[in-house]
Amino acid sequence: MFESLQSVPADPILNLSVLYRKDINPKKVDLGVGVYKDEAGHTAIMQAVSLAEERLLVEEDTKAYVGMAGSKKFCDLLAQVTLGADHQVISDQRISVAQTPGGSGALRVLAEFINVAKPGSTVWVGNPTWANHIPVMKSAGLTIKTYPYYSKQTKTVDFDAMMATLKSDAKAGDVVLLHGCCHNPSGADLTLEQWQATADLINAKGLLPYVDIAYQGLGEGMDEDAAGLRLMANSVPEMVIASSCSKNFGLYRERTGTAIIISATSQQAVVAQGQMNSVIRANYSMPPSHGALAVETILADPKLNQIWRDELKIMRKRIKDLRTQLVEALKAEGVEQDFSFIERQKGMFSFLDISPEQVEKLVNEHSVYLVSSSRINLAGLNQANIVYVAKAIAAVL
């Protein structure tokens, strides 16, 4: 049976990690893998998480299954964090929520849910988008089409082209995938006015918004980063949302996420919850519990909640400062090319907008690791390497 299998190319981002580990250059820098790193280059466990885990070690008294949708308390708290505690769709009981194995698990569950509702649905994905979006959607049986998103000329959202494509080519019943904040890979986000215009178009054409919010809290703040998503939820009858606790709680390996479905009525929400649970049952059956229990403990305790929010604020400020420092370091190296757009973008990622050949030189000649698209993870920079990285970029321009 297995003789017919063909080799699969290595994941370009994960393969970078392998090359980085093998590199003996003491000045090597990893700007590829999308995890937050502190000033020491370490993805540390957040203090709030450690305190929550200490409590769980004492108080948790069972490892029994948590059910297909996971912990109801976790689901309720994450719906409030994502949509806002006083959002109308929550009070109207129009939401269905499930705890999932990470944001990727939420994406897959929702994609399969859509495929149950309308098999082979078309999902419109921005160009560019997160590298795993298309494989996840395709593997769930959905049809992929793309709309323009990022302009290399303006280094901002190519909103006119995005709207023109969706207006002319998207059909009623199609799905539109949007990044909630801190766009990966470009760092270019929709403005609130653009969110509203997108919501108006979605309503006019009968489309379904599918929002992936994986970096809430790492842009401007927990509420600020969800403002566009909440505006959309106010404006449309139906919507699906995938959220992740990997970044804002640092729970990468604990695989903690949330799938949220907004239905037109509370009666439809009950049906949607049953269908989503059925999708989960046929996939991984029950979600892992530990990460969700840690998040639940933090959000339910005012003291832990404040510790977590203070830590998140430090992370957010550090990323913003690194953006400014990189731009200043490039200027100090005499680089004439304008990189000021990096300061205006949000979250951990930006494109350097250099050629694949220049990227190759950065990797091979300077041991600065990034993917061929020139996307960099700003959190991979620190005070010990930022000047070196700026000198390396200047050398390849």
Side-chain angles (χ1 to χ4, degrees):
M1 181 183 290
F2 303 148
E3 290 176 359
S4 62
L5 292 175
Q6 301 295 312
S7 296
V8 176
D11 182 285
I13 297 177
L14 299 183
N15 191 48
L16 269 181
S17 296
V18 175
L19 296 175
Y20 174 80
R21 286 194 294 269
K22 291 180 179 178
D23 194 332
I24 60 173
N25 186 345
K27 293 185 177 181
K28 64 183 180 180
V29 181
D30 182 8
L31 303 180
V33 176
V35 299
Y36 178 83
K37 298 177 183 178
D38 60 21
E39 185 60 27
H42 181 52
T43 304
I45 299 173
M46 296 177 77
Q47 183 190 6
V49 171
S50 291
L51 293 171
E53 288 180 318
E54 287 175 9
R55 188 178 300 178
L56 289 174
L57 191 62
V58 175
E59 297 178 358
E60 189 177 17
D61 62 357
T62 182
K63 294 294 184 182
Y65 292 125
V66 292
M68 289 171 282
S71 163
K72 184 179 186 307
K73 186 175 181 180
F74 169 85
C75 290
D76 289 345
L77 288 168
L78 263 292
Q80 293 171 23
V81 163
T82 307
L83 290 161
D86 58 350
H87 201 286
Q88 191 69 38
V89 297
I90 296 177
S91 57
D92 289 347
Q93 298 183 328
R94 289 172 47 208
I95 63 168
S96 316
V97 191
Q99 171 191 326
T100 59
S104 296
L107 287 166
R108 178 59 185 256
V109 165
L110 293 169
E112 290 194 22
F113 170 83
I114 290 167
N115 201 45
V116 170
K118 185 185 176 186
S121 291
T122 294
V123 56
W124 289 86
V125 177
N127 180 23
T129 193
W130 179 49
N132 207 28
H133 274 150
I134 292 175
V136 168
M137 300 299 152
K138 274 187 174 180
S139 65
L142 302 181
T143 303
I144 306 297
K145 291 187 179 179
T146 61
Y147 61 84
Y149 183 80
Y150 179 73
S151 168
K152 289 187 176 182
Q153 285 69 44
T154 65
K155 311 295 191 293
T156 59
V157 178
D158 195 352
F159 192 66
D160 289 343
M162 168 183 163
M163 293 294 279
T165 299
L166 293 175
K167 187 174 183 179
S168 64
D169 297 343
K171 305 291 191 297
D174 285 359
V175 182
V176 181
L177 181 65
L178 301 162
H179 294 230
C181 66
C182 304
H183 187 272
N184 180 4
S186 74
D189 287 351
L190 296 170
T191 65
L192 282 180
E193 292 75 19
Q194 290 170 338
W195 273 102
Q196 186 62 64
T198 305
D200 293 342
L201 178 64
I202 282 171
N203 273 326
K205 299 210 61 150
L207 309 176
L208 176 72
Y210 186 158
V211 179
D212 181 8
I213 184 161
Y215 299 92
Q216 185 182 359
L218 289 178
E220 297 295 334
M222 288 296 292
D223 292 326
E224 295 87 343
D225 289 349
L229 176 154
R230 294 172 184 179
L231 183 154
M232 179 69 73
N234 276 332
S235 307
V236 299
E238 296 178 340
M239 178 175 173
V240 297
I241 303 164
S243 73
S244 171
C245 298
S246 293
K247 287 79 180 176
N248 51 16
F249 286 89
L251 289 169
Y252 298 92
R253 67 173 61 170
E254 299 299 347
R255 311 313 301 131
T256 307
T258 319
I260 301 174
I261 301 167
I262 298 174
S263 301
T265 67
S266 58
Q267 292 82 7
Q268 288 177 7
V270 173
V271 175
Q273 184 74 60
Q275 289 287 359
M276 179 161 58
N277 290 354
S278 178
V279 165
I280 290 168
R281 180 62 171 157
N283 191 332
Y284 51 84
S285 191
M286 313 279 177
S289 176
H290 182 76
L293 279 177
V295 171
E296 178 182 310
T297 302
I298 292 166
L299 294 178
D301 183 290
K303 184 177 179 181
L304 289 180
N305 195 321
Q306 191 58 54
I307 292 171
W308 165 65
R309 288 179 181 271
D310 289 344
E311 289 182 276
L312 193 57
K313 183 177 180 180
I314 292 170
M315 293 162 62
R316 182 168 61 244
K317 183 179 184 304
R318 181 171 174 275
I319 292 169
K320 285 185 177 182
D321 289 346
L322 287 169
R323 287 182 173 277
T324 299
Q325 291 167 20
L326 178 59
V327 173
E328 291 175 350
L330 288 167
K331 288 179 182 176
E333 294 303 320
V335 172
E336 295 182 0
Q337 185 173 327
D338 183 12
F339 282 94
S340 62
F341 62 89
I342 292 175
E343 287 187 89
R344 297 189 294 272
Q345 294 169 347
K346 297 177 183 179
M348 296 201 301
F349 305 108
S350 284
F351 288 124
L352 288 178
D353 281 326
I354 59 177
S355 70
E357 292 76 22
Q358 289 169 318
V359 170
E360 190 174 348
K361 286 183 178 180
L362 280 175
V363 174
N364 295 333
E365 298 176 13
H366 301 276
S367 296
V368 176
Y369 287 83
L370 63 160
V371 290
S372 60
S373 67
S374 82
R375 186 207 77 165
I376 61 169
N377 174 14
L378 277 298
L381 297 171
N382 55 52
Q383 301 310 305
N385 66 26
I386 197 165
V387 172
Y388 175 76
V389 169
K391 288 181 181 294
I393 293 171
V396 305
L397 293 177

